[in-house]
Amino acid sequence: MTDPVAKVERARSAAAREAWDEAAAAYRAADASLLEASDLEAWADATWWLSSMDESIGLRQRAYAAYSAEGDHRGAGWMAARLCIEHFLRGEPAVGAGWLGRTQRHARDLPDCVELGYVAMLEANVARLGGDLDGAFDLAERAVEIEHRFGDPNLLAMALQTQGLVRIDQGQVARGLALLDEAMTSVIAGEVNSYYTGAIYCQVIDTCLQIADVGRAGEWSRAASAWVETVVPESPFPGICRVNRAHLARLQGAWDEAGSEARRAAEELIEFNPPAAGAAMYEAGEVRRRIGDLAGAEADYARARELGFDPQPGLALLRLAQGKVDSAATTLDVVLSDERARGIQAAPLLAARVEVALQAGELDDARTACETLRRITEATDARHVRAVATTAEGTVRLAEGDAAGALERLRSACEAWQELKLPYEHARARQAYGLALRAAGDEEDARLELQAALGAFERLGATPDATATSALLGDGKALPGGLTAREAEVLRLVASGKTNRDIAVELVISEHTVARHLQNMFTKLDVSSRAAATAYAFEHGLT
């Protein structure tokens, strides 16, 4: 029979080596009467890394009680702090606030020590989430000062990251990114433990994606992917990283990859962090809305909301695509009235509000949203916000009949989106720029821009945008069989004997897109072969 003490020692050894599955199994097999508060903490850590969130929280509560009974304010305070973090991540702010209070209570009984820096960090993040940015920065600065006295790389990296996030929230993007990059150097150098390494990677990449810094997000995402390979596969971090990869893929136009990564991430995170799973479902919905699967997008947005993630502005734009203009406007007005919808975070909401107002013919509402966007750009150096604002102002000027003003702003917007390497936003700006050229009387250049936008939409698989752009390129005559202008063009090339590859090269689209056009044509024309489609083209004068 194995010595009971030896079983506990085996569990402690596995936890020290971060062999989490081995540690969890060993602790479960150990004599509970022999476990100390530190054992309960290590067991809670093991189950956390195995994504057994309910078990982890239960064990951490037991560890808290054990430390508290021993009068160990450091241990009890840290357990309370971790419980605060976990409940906030699970979308349970009331419970999280309760544990924050416990953390602060234990901190009052501590001498000057590094643990007070962690308390300041916890308070800083709660203040930031509540919108108190100045207070959050000051608390993070206090954490840095404490770290300088005691030396703790984990605390320093987290404090720098929080300061960077606050600066970005305040619109000082360049300063914020510099602080995030500095925090990341500690991670890359291996100075930070596994828990904080994952937390910093995920937060930094997510922030880069929110400000559309695709290049920086891609660099850190590759580094994070390499690190994730070193941790236990059951841990939460592969799922969290997958959400970021889905977001990055969507921005880069790799929509099939984005959708599959998002759905897998949601499955992996559903028990551990429901709001993060909701963010994954939002990404899936964004892809479906862009490709024209409105029913699928509706289901994904509903699931995101159910999991605690607000699916805006995607849901409002879905309502617009469904023809529910009033509903879209009301939804956005409610969200924009929230005090948390301020600064650069409000930019995508305001851009959607402009789009909805123009669709409704409410120019005054569009101008108001544009003016708010302009004020945000004056207070930030965020490039993506300037691109958003410039695009919105260009479309409003076009609706007002100011072709010259629209041209100037939409040309600038096209350049900005191209520099940011965001193909969908660039294509939409080119479409608007083409319309501005047409309004200015330059039909030849207008068609070139519209054709370029159409090609981009087709490569992306943005069917609704491609259909609308194709209609803008039509000569005004109704095409037989309900064909779009692009489908008629593909049919003409099929009738001339060209292969799918030939057509893809000539139209600068993928063979996959050509095949999709052919499938759509066959359905519309009720034919089942290229020969039958060719005969239809000759019969209806489409050759």
Side-chain angles (χ1 to χ4, degrees):
M1 181 180 293
T2 305
D3 181 1
V5 175
K7 287 184 177 181
V8 175
E9 289 301 328
R10 186 178 302 114
R12 290 170 179 168
S13 173
R17 290 183 281 108
E18 297 189 356
W20 301 118
D21 49 356
E22 180 185 341
Y27 273 123
R28 291 187 185 109
D31 184 345
S33 67
L34 298 177
L35 300 183
E36 300 174 1
S38 59
D39 291 313
L40 294 170
E41 178 183 354
W43 191 359
D45 288 341
T47 52
W48 186 93
W49 280 96
L50 297 174
S51 295
S52 298
M53 195 60 179
D54 290 338
E55 184 180 7
S56 177
I57 285 178
L59 288 165
R60 211 171 293 282
Q61 288 170 344
R62 288 171 58 189
Y64 167 79
Y67 279 126
S68 187
E70 295 168 2
D72 184 345
H73 293 290
R74 280 189 174 89
W78 175 234
M79 289 302 93
R82 278 296 302 269
L83 287 163
C84 170
I85 294 168
E86 305 307 348
H87 283 291
F88 269 110
L89 288 175
R90 283 163 64 97
E92 300 165 352
V95 181
W99 283 110
L100 173 61
R102 285 293 180 95
T103 303
Q104 293 166 326
R105 183 181 300 276
H106 288 289
R108 287 198 292 268
D109 294 316
L110 292 177
D112 186 27
C113 59
V114 71
E115 283 80 6
L116 294 178
Y118 284 96
V119 176
M121 276 303 309
L122 191 59
E123 294 171 336
N125 282 287
V126 172
R128 175 175 171 259
L129 290 173
D132 180 9
L133 299 182
D134 291 337
F137 192 88
D138 291 343
L139 285 163
E141 184 63 30
R142 182 185 174 202
V144 172
E145 293 168 359
I146 293 173
E147 190 281 334
H148 287 339
R149 292 200 298 276
F150 295 97
D152 187 317
N154 295 319
L155 178 58
L156 179 60
M158 290 297 292
L160 290 173
Q161 176 195 250
T162 299
Q163 288 183 318
L165 296 176
V166 170
R167 287 300 186 227
I168 290 172
D169 289 344
Q170 292 173 329
Q172 302 174 44
V173 174
R175 292 179 65 185
L177 287 174
L179 287 163
L180 294 185
D181 288 344
E182 186 179 354
M184 286 299 301
T185 59
S186 297
V187 172
I188 297 299
E191 300 170 352
V192 182
N193 71 23
S194 298
Y195 176 75
Y196 288 114
T197 291
I200 291 172
Y201 264 134
C202 293
Q203 184 66 75
V204 168
I205 295 168
D206 178 68
T207 300
C208 291
L209 292 170
Q210 295 302 327
I211 61 173
D213 191 336
V214 172
R216 186 181 259 99
E219 289 180 30
W220 291 131
S221 185
R222 287 188 289 276
S225 295
W227 173 78
V228 163
E229 294 296 323
T230 69
V231 303
V232 59
E234 297 88 353
S235 85
F237 289 116
I240 297 172
C241 289
R242 209 177 300 284
V243 178
N244 287 334
R245 285 204 296 273
H247 192 169
L248 179 61
R250 174 173 65 81
L251 291 178
Q252 293 176 323
W255 290 353
D256 287 344
E257 177 188 349
S260 61
E261 287 280 40
R263 295 184 190 290
R264 185 173 173 187
E267 292 175 2
E268 293 173 346
L269 294 169
I270 189 69
E271 296 297 333
F272 172 76
N273 188 333
M281 292 309 302
Y282 180 75
E283 288 301 321
E286 286 290 87
V287 170
R288 281 182 156 178
R289 178 174 62 81
R290 284 168 168 78
I291 66 175
D293 180 4
L294 303 189
E298 176 101 47
D300 288 342
Y301 291 147
R303 183 60 173 150
R305 172 173 281 172
E306 180 184 340
L307 292 168
F309 186 89
D310 188 10
Q312 297 296 351
L315 180 58
L317 293 173
L318 172 66
R319 294 286 176 257
L320 185 63
Q322 293 169 331
K324 303 173 182 178
V325 181
D326 291 342
S327 175
T330 300
T331 298
L332 288 170
D333 288 341
V334 169
V335 177
L336 286 166
S337 67
D338 193 315
E339 285 297 321
R340 291 169 293 182
R342 296 290 181 268
I344 62 177
Q345 291 83 5
L349 298 168
L350 289 163
R353 189 66 184 89
V354 170
E355 189 172 344
V356 170
L358 292 178
Q359 185 77 9
E362 300 289 349
L363 277 177
D364 286 342
D365 288 348
R367 293 188 191 101
T368 298
C370 258
E371 177 59 24
T372 306
L373 267 172
R374 185 190 63 77
R375 289 196 297 270
I376 292 174
T377 61
E378 292 174 351
T380 182
D381 57 353
R383 293 189 302 158
H384 80 290
V385 173
R386 295 187 181 278
V388 167
T390 304
T391 305
E393 187 174 357
T395 57
V396 170
R397 286 184 175 258
L398 181 60
E400 291 173 331
D402 178 8
L407 281 172
E408 184 264 327
R409 282 155 182 79
L410 290 170
R411 183 186 303 113
S412 177
C414 288
E415 293 171 355
W417 291 122
Q418 186 170 30
E419 289 174 4
L420 288 167
K421 296 182 173 61
L422 300 178
Y424 179 68
E425 288 76 7
H426 183 215
R428 297 200 74 198
R430 292 195 80 166
Q431 182 200 62
Y433 182 51
L435 293 177
L437 286 166
R438 176 172 287 172
D442 187 351
E443 181 61 28
E444 185 175 347
D445 283 347
R447 292 189 67 81
L448 290 175
E449 289 297 326
L450 291 171
Q451 286 168 348
L454 175 60
F457 287 139
E458 290 183 331
R459 286 190 293 275
L460 289 165
T463 302
D465 293 284
T467 300
T469 308
S470 181
L472 292 171
L473 282 163
D475 59 8
K477 297 178 181 178
L479 291 167
L483 297 175
T484 66
R486 181 61 113 185
E487 288 166 351
E489 191 171 14
V490 171
L491 179 55
R492 176 182 59 80
L493 294 171
V494 168
S496 68
K498 292 187 180 294
T499 65
N500 284 14
R501 177 173 295 182
D502 295 334
I503 297 170
V505 170
E506 182 160 339
L507 299 181
V508 198
I509 56 179
S510 69
E511 288 188 60
H512 176 73
T513 300
V514 174
R516 189 169 62 245
H517 281 313
L518 284 173
Q519 183 179 8
N520 291 340
M521 284 191 303
F522 286 178
T523 299
K524 289 180 179 180
L525 305 182
D526 193 24
V527 298
S528 58
S529 67
R530 297 172 80 92
T534 298
Y536 184 96
F538 277 100
E539 291 171 7
H540 293 83
L542 296 175
T543 56

